[in-house]
Amino acid sequence: MHLKEKILQLKKEKNAVILAHYYQTADIQDIADYVGDSLQLSQKAAETDADIIVFAGVHFMAETAKILNPEKIVVLPDLNAGCSLADSCPPEAFSEFIKQHPNHVVITYVNCSAEIKALSDIVCTSSNALKIVESVPKEVPIIFAPDKNLGKYIMKKTGRDLVLWDGSCVVHEAFSIDKLIELHKKYPEHKIIAHPESEEHILNTATYIGSTAGMINYVKNHSQEKFIVATEAGILHKMQQEVPNTELIPAPAQEDNTCACSECAYMKVNTMQKLYDCLLNESPQIEVPEPIRKKALLPIERMLELSK
């Protein structure tokens, strides 16, 4: 029996659901019950009636699922699936940062630890960040963390002045503007689409800026066009399935890795074998201490409420 069949059989026996992020490998995306961006996966985690949630993504995503489902078993195929952006915001330092800016509403991007969410007023994702920021009255000052690139993009779009934490995602900062310009010269008819975690000079070249789900929708609505895609290269699998006849090229990274595109090493530590093992052994399990979970739940619920 193939690994795929074994996983599907186990999933049925254990009443498990597999949630996968767009940046996972193609085989994991294909076996998942649901593939989405952080917002969609949070929404699915909030409404699932499965007993076990297998989260094929990174640690903070599985943690969010556990915060929403304390009574369910939440497993991650590999505990080393971390996030450079989440790591760039240590709780002690962020707590001090908040103290230095009293009376600010604290909005944090979902790519952060449970401890950071517990210090927040509202959580957002790249799909709803503009909406969440605009839900706060204009006269109320805002701290936005941990992604400074997304923060700068929101400031530009809303005209709001945000106090930014200095964090970023190594994958989205790895795009080379020089290589992107070279690629665009070679393919001048291709439109550039980008994720708002990218640096400003990359965003300035883009026809469309949006979340992973937003980018997929944009391509579906403009399927007669051709695109250069500036986000983690894993998204191309789902995108190409949605628009089989549309030409998609991954944006180039500064580093000459094998695919010369930008890949998140953390997202790619999950494999089909690890997915099978974690479902079979029901480990490694994600646990969130109850006091932190309760505090972190409020800003996540506010986000889900505002995203309806």
Side-chain angles (χ1 to χ4, degrees):
M1 197 192 289
H2 281 103
L3 204 50
K4 187 179 171 183
E5 279 93 64
K6 283 187 185 172
I7 292 169
L8 292 172
Q9 191 181 337
L10 258 186
K11 196 184 77 170
K12 206 170 160 188
E13 284 168 19
K14 297 197 174 205
N15 185 30
V17 65
I18 299 171
L19 304 180
H21 193 274
Y22 287 124
Y23 297 168
Q24 293 293 296
T25 54
D27 51 358
I28 291 179
Q29 290 190 45
D30 289 342
I31 201 171
D33 296 285
Y34 196 80
V35 181
D37 65 3
S38 330
L39 174 62
Q40 295 165 325
L41 295 173
S42 300
Q43 288 166 328
K44 286 289 164 195
E47 61 197 37
T48 184
D49 51 11
D51 298 315
I52 299 178
I53 298 172
V54 179
F55 216 115
V58 291
H59 195 273
F60 76 80
M61 297 177 180
E63 230 176 25
T64 303
K66 185 66 181 177
I67 291 165
L68 289 161
N69 297 281
E71 70 301 331
K72 294 187 165 80
I73 292 172
V74 178
V75 288
L76 186 68
D78 190 328
L79 278 183
N80 292 318
C83 167
S84 59
L85 179 55
D87 293 343
S88 72
C89 192
E92 302 76 29
F94 189 57
S95 185
E96 278 306 307
F97 188 74
I98 294 171
K99 283 180 193 147
Q100 288 160 18
H101 302 91
N103 308 319
H104 282 57
V105 165
V106 180
I107 299 179
T108 52
Y109 185 34
V110 72
N111 302 34
C112 64
S113 65
E115 290 85 356
I116 298 296
K117 290 182 178 76
L119 293 166
S120 312
D121 296 303
I122 318 177
V123 169
C124 74
T125 71
S126 45
S127 295
N128 61 21
L130 291 170
K131 192 176 181 184
I132 301 274
V133 167
E134 285 175 333
S135 74
V136 177
K138 285 227 180 337
E139 64 280 1
V140 178
I142 295 171
I143 288 172
F144 187 85
D147 193 289
K148 62 181 178 190
N149 292 321
L150 179 58
K152 284 176 192 163
Y153 170 71
I154 294 166
M155 282 166 76
K156 204 170 168 181
K157 292 292 275 189
T158 60
R160 299 280 291 258
D161 197 21
L162 308 178
V163 176
L164 302 180
W165 174 263
D166 187 13
S168 60
C169 157
V170 294
V171 175
H172 286 98
E173 289 213 320
F175 293 116
S176 160
I177 189 69
D178 303 334
K179 285 185 181 177
L180 185 59
I181 291 164
E182 278 301 302
L183 189 66
H184 200 247
K185 276 185 193 159
K186 199 170 156 191
Y187 301 101
E189 71 289 2
H190 285 58
K191 288 186 170 166
I192 297 168
I193 57 173
H195 192 282
E197 280 179 45
S198 307
E199 290 181 294
E200 196 172 359
H201 52 244
I202 298 287
L203 298 183
N204 290 340
T205 66
T207 303
Y208 173 80
I209 298 165
S211 68
T212 39
M215 291 164 92
I216 287 174
N217 281 335
Y218 184 80
V219 169
K220 273 164 78 173
N221 293 332
H222 300 82
S223 56
Q224 69 290 356
E225 311 257 10
K226 296 172 180 180
F227 296 97
I228 294 169
V229 184
T231 188
E232 209 276 353
I235 194 179
L236 294 171
H237 176 64
K238 198 52 149 184
M239 221 178 232
Q240 202 73 75
Q241 282 180 339
E242 297 284 357
V243 286
N245 302 317
T246 301
E247 197 176 308
L248 306 170
I249 302 174
Q254 284 152 353
E255 292 300 314
D256 282 329
N257 54 14
T258 48
C259 74
C261 56
S262 215
E263 289 210 325
C264 173
Y266 290 118
M267 282 283 186
K268 302 298 192 264
V269 298
N270 295 323
T271 61
M272 289 286 274
Q273 184 63 52
K274 289 176 189 173
L275 198 148
Y276 171 74
D277 293 341
C278 85
L279 186 50
L280 179 70
N281 305 320
E282 297 180 16
S283 99
Q285 286 190 28
I286 300 296
E287 298 297 346
V288 180
E290 192 57 15
I292 288 176
R293 190 195 72 79
K294 278 184 167 158
K295 280 186 186 159
L297 182 62
L298 296 170
I300 294 170
E301 284 182 331
R302 284 187 194 119
M303 168 186 83
L304 293 172
E305 193 51 46
L306 284 165
S307 302
K308 280 179 180 164

